[in-house]
Structure formats: C-alpha cells, structure tokens
Amino acid sequence: MAASPINQVFPKASRLVYGCMGLGGNWDNSPVTQDHLNQAHTAIDAALEIGINYFDHADIYTMGKAEQVFGQVLAQRPELREQIILQTKAAIRFGDEQWCGRYDWSADYIRQSVEDSLRRLQSETIDVMMLHRPDPLAEMDEVAAVLSELKDSGKVQHFGVSNMSGAQIAHLQSLLSFPLVANQLEMSLSKLDWLDHNIAVNDEQVKGHSFAPGTLEYCAMNKVQIQAWGSLSRGLFSGADLSNASQAQRDTAQLVRQYADQNSSSPEAVVLAWLMRHPAGIQPVIGSVNPDRIRACGDATKLQLSREQWYQLYVTSRGKALP
C-alpha cells in the first residue's frame, strides 16, 4: 500500500479520515440536542476504535452544528484533543434572501471563519485549515497574507485546499513561505474522472471529463496529501439500494462483495482499499454516522488488493474496456 504524504507532517496520522459532515442533525438552524451529542460520541468512538485519529470538518457542515457538537464532545473529553488531528474548511457561503450562494476568499471572511470554527470546536488551534472551493475573485496576495497571519498567530498550524487543480495550488503556493499540505477531491469507485483522464491521453474517451490534468502529478511531486471525499460512493457498492443502478454499478457491487468474501472483509473495506492501492497514497474520508458502518471500514488499512483485482474493479465500474 502506497505511503501517505501526510505522515511527513503528522507522523502518526491515520490512513483514514473521519468526515464529520453528518454530525449535528439537519442542515438548518435548529439547535443541537442531546441526541445529536450522543450520536457524535458514538461516531467518534467508532472511528477511534478502528484507529482513525484524523477528523475532517467544514464551517458549513449542518450549518455549523457539526463543529459545534464536536466541540461539545471535546469539552466533555478534553483528553481527546491531544490525541486527534483536527481539520476544517472555509470559503463556501450559503445563499440568502439577498445574495446567491458563493465562494469567499477575502481576508476578512477567512479570518472570521477561522475564529468561528475555533469557537465552535472549543479549541485553541486548528491543525489543518482548507480553502473549500476556489473563489474566482480571490486576490491571491491577500489570501497568502491572511493565511500567514493565521499561522503566525498559532490559530492554524497548517493549510490545505479542496477541489483545486495542480495549477491553482501552484499559484497559491508560490506566494507562501510554508507548504500547503493537502488537497481534498471527490474520488471513488464511482467517480473515476481522475483515473480516466490519466489513461485516456490522446484518446477520444478523455472528452467530457472534468478532472484537471496534472493535479495528481503536482501533488505527488510536492508532497501534497490527496484526500478523497465521497470515497464510499454513498454506499453504492456496499449495501445501498441498487434498484435504479446501472448494470456497471450492479456488476461492480457484486465484484466488491466477491472480493470482500474472499478476504473475510467488508464491502466498505474493499471500496476503500481500492482507492488506497493507488500510488498517490490517497487518504479516504468516510462520512457515515452509523457506528457499524464506520467499523466496517477498519479492514481497509489491512487489505491489499492485487493489481488484477484493482484493474478488474476499475474496468467493471467504467462499464467499458480500457482504450
């Protein structure tokens, strides 16, 4: 299994990340309840049980309540803070009665977002803060200045990005005196453009793909950790209802189950192990709040798919032969 670049920054970082997007209840302004707090404790404990010590947030998750309920857990169990790596993201703003949804990399907004996340998380520092989606109006000198300010203050230890191309990362990195440590992208057995673009150079199959060429290569050359959001494909290959699925998806789910049975493992572990077999050292983010499903992911770090198994899953999920 490929090494993970994040271990150069956090030597004991887990290969899996627990994504906290489902904590805190609904995506509305209703208050956090005791049930939400209990759910957070249970999910966090299930993640810790399988060796996860890396927890991913964003200021927008359940309208800030994911960070809030996680902060309540940390307040009740302060010893956890020294055991975990805490990551959050900022820059997406919801629409309201006056303005549409938008992205905001202005210094004032980034600065305030960090302050708000620290307050909700009840933490003195954020280990990794990511810019969530690129802002076309970003003044990059201004962005670099506020990131440097936040790092110098100790409020943020490291910075990363999300949903960004290699060229975009290179632009921002050129203005910083410290490295960007991670890039979080949608990658899974059902989201294959990051692979298809790579193998379809000089072939018609590359047409219509949205993945920016050179992104994986830039991250590999510059030790930027690739994190995969949506890594479990919303359970598509590990127990979800397939009544509306394509034939390729059905075939892939069957193959995942076959490999799970052969390895006395779970479908979730096979799906994640497929991502982790890639030499980029991908760090999957799992987002379930179901403790049994979280635990089912644990074997992914022990499961080594063969080259043939990896390709069989890839081609089956594509639904067509390689060019």
Side-chain angles (χ1 to χ4, degrees):
M1 189 174 292
S4 180
I6 199 67
N7 291 121
Q8 297 184 77
V9 182
F10 302 108
K12 296 183 179 180
S14 54
R15 280 302 310 269
L16 299 178
V17 175
Y18 182 70
C20 299
M21 185 171 68
L23 301 182
N26 296 325
W27 288 62
D28 56 28
N29 293 317
S30 59
V32 169
T33 67
Q34 185 62 45
D35 285 344
H36 297 146
L37 182 57
N38 293 341
Q39 179 192 59
H41 277 290
T42 300
I44 291 167
D45 284 339
L48 293 170
E49 184 179 325
I50 62 170
I52 293 176
N53 65 357
Y54 203 123
F55 292 84
D56 173 69
H57 286 270
D59 55 358
I60 62 167
Y61 289 168
T62 57
M63 309 289 281
K65 291 182 293 182
E67 288 184 333
Q68 182 184 343
V69 74
F70 198 95
Q72 290 178 13
V73 170
L74 292 180
Q76 293 180 4
R77 301 162 63 181
E79 72 281 1
L80 282 181
R81 184 63 188 93
E82 297 304 313
Q83 301 171 23
I84 66 171
I85 298 162
L86 199 53
Q87 175 174 286
T88 194
K89 299 183 283 294
I92 296 178
R93 302 187 70 167
F94 290 123
D96 53 29
E97 296 82 3
Q98 184 177 8
W99 303 111
C100 63
R102 57 210 182 274
Y103 309 137
D104 194 339
W105 285 21
S106 64
D108 287 345
Y109 189 74
I110 292 172
R111 189 181 295 113
Q112 189 60 54
S113 294
V114 168
E115 294 288 353
D116 291 343
S117 288
L118 288 170
R119 173 179 49 79
R120 287 190 292 263
L121 290 166
Q122 301 194 45
S123 180
E124 294 182 356
T125 188
I126 293 166
D127 296 312
V128 181
M129 198 283 275
M130 289 181 159
L131 297 170
H132 206 158
R133 284 193 179 273
D135 174 11
L137 293 181
E139 300 285 351
M140 300 303 277
D141 288 339
E142 176 186 348
V143 175
V146 73
L147 298 191
S148 298
E149 169 195 317
L150 291 166
K151 184 173 178 63
D152 290 344
S153 71
K155 293 176 181 178
V156 178
Q157 299 300 316
H158 302 278
F159 291 91
V161 296
S162 182
N163 305 298
M164 286 181 65
S165 71
Q168 290 170 318
I169 302 171
H171 183 192
L172 178 57
Q173 183 63 76
S174 71
L175 300 170
L176 297 170
S177 61
F178 48 85
L180 295 166
V181 301
N183 184 21
Q184 194 173 113
L185 302 164
E186 185 179 6
M187 309 168 83
S188 70
L189 198 48
S190 62
K191 175 71 171 175
L192 298 171
D193 57 354
W194 58 283
L195 282 174
D196 284 347
H197 195 98
N198 181 267
I199 58 96
V201 173
N202 201 34
D203 189 274
E204 289 294 315
Q205 291 187 21
V206 78
K207 289 186 176 180
H209 291 186
S210 61
F211 195 77
T215 297
L216 294 187
E217 291 80 2
Y218 175 88
C219 291
M221 290 187 294
N222 292 277
K223 310 300 182 186
V224 177
Q225 176 66 54
I226 294 289
Q227 296 179 351
W229 65 268
S231 61
L232 287 169
S233 299
R234 301 190 177 209
L236 183 63
F237 308 119
S238 53
D241 181 9
L242 296 176
S243 56
N244 295 318
S246 68
Q247 189 59 53
Q249 290 168 340
R250 294 170 188 268
D251 292 344
T252 304
Q254 182 177 353
L255 191 59
V256 166
R257 172 61 68 181
Q258 176 186 326
Y259 291 163
D261 291 344
Q262 289 174 357
N263 289 278
S264 300
S265 188
S266 68
E268 289 88 350
V270 172
V271 170
L272 296 174
W274 180 83
L275 274 173
M276 295 163 71
R277 178 68 170 78
H278 192 277
I282 296 166
Q283 193 180 27
V285 181
I286 61 171
S288 177
V289 296
N290 183 319
D292 291 334
R293 193 165 183 230
I294 295 169
R295 294 187 190 98
C297 297
D299 283 348
T301 58
K302 308 168 191 173
L303 181 59
Q304 178 77 7
L305 296 176
S306 69
R307 171 180 286 268
E308 288 68 27
Q309 289 172 326
W310 187 90
Y311 265 106
Q312 192 66 47
L313 284 166
Y314 175 31
V315 174
T316 303
S317 187
R318 292 180 89 241
K320 56 185 176 181
L322 297 175

